[in-house]
Amino acid sequence: FFTDVRECDEGNGGCSYTCHNIPGSFKCSCPSGLQLASNGLDCEDANECLDGNNGGCGHECSNVFGSFVCKCRPGFRLDVDARSCNDFENCALNDGRGDCQQICNEIDNGRECSCYHGYQLTRNGVNCTDTNECLEEPRRCHQFCNNTEGSYRCFCDVGFVLDANDVTCSDYDECMYVQPCEHTCKNTFGSYQCGCLQGYRLHPNGSCVGW
Ligand SMILES: [Ca+2]
Ligand SMILES: [Ca+2]
């Protein structure tokens, strides 16, 4: 009659890990992450990345002995499930600037840098450089333009003053504000003319001298 032989009792049945006695036979099994070799005894690494599902990894699957790890492409972070990859908070560092010099904007699959008013993004997409507003058309200033870091200033020729709009120039009324003449003063566009009372003549230095 039939007597079951307990193969596992002797030398673990030849299994390198676990031996299971079953009626009329035995079988070996392996711990998680390893699979039974073709000889049915040994355990070998299972490449989980080749399971047809990329090991369940959202991006890259990397096989290691007895296990596997999922890795994410730059700009992404592995989720708590250790499988899926989430869009990284690219702008979180540096007070919300990320690796941008001035402004960092979160977009799908990454970040986009931008610049403050008066600056423009350089070719590397990260740094910002001053815009030279004085070279732009149409011209920004009525008379003269002085480019500055992040901005520009309009200025005016001698005899003119910059208006409150910081763009246009108006004649400066020297006669009213500085009284440059000894006797009479006549304001002109961009300048002024001094005159002298009867009996005096204008000296080249601007003073009035008697005949
Ligand atoms: Ca500028
Ligand atoms: Ca004037």
Side-chain angles (χ1 to χ4, degrees), residues 159 171-174 187-192:
D171 171 58
Y172 183 55
D173 190 339
E174 296 85 352
N187 182 47
T188 65
F189 186 75
S191 188
Y192 63 96

Side-chain angles (χ1 to χ4, degrees), residues 3 7 9 11 21 24-25 40 50 75 125 134 137-138 159 168 176 200 205-206:
T3 305
E7 294 88 350
D9 290 349
N21 184 56
S25 185
L50 301 178
C134 297
E137 293 287 345
T168 53
M176 181 181 289
Y200 293 84
N205 71 7

Side-chain angles (χ1 to χ4, degrees), residues 118 130-133 147-152:
D130 172 58
T131 301
N132 190 340
E133 295 86 351
N147 183 47
T148 65
E149 181 70 20
S151 188
Y152 67 100

Side-chain angles (χ1 to χ4, degrees), residues 100-119:
C100 299
Q101 191 182 4
Q102 293 185 349
I103 302 170
C104 185
N105 311 292
E106 294 283 354
I107 57 169
D108 283 351
N109 299 348
R111 63 102 183 89
E112 197 172 64
C113 299
S114 60
C115 302
Y116 301 133
H117 190 73
Y119 290 87

Side-chain angles (χ1 to χ4, degrees), residues 173-176 179-181 183-187 192-195:
D173 190 339
E174 296 85 352
C175 300
M176 181 181 289
Q179 285 117 28
C181 302
H183 287 178
T184 64
C185 182
K186 183 172 178 286
N187 182 47
Y192 63 96
Q193 278 180 346
C194 292

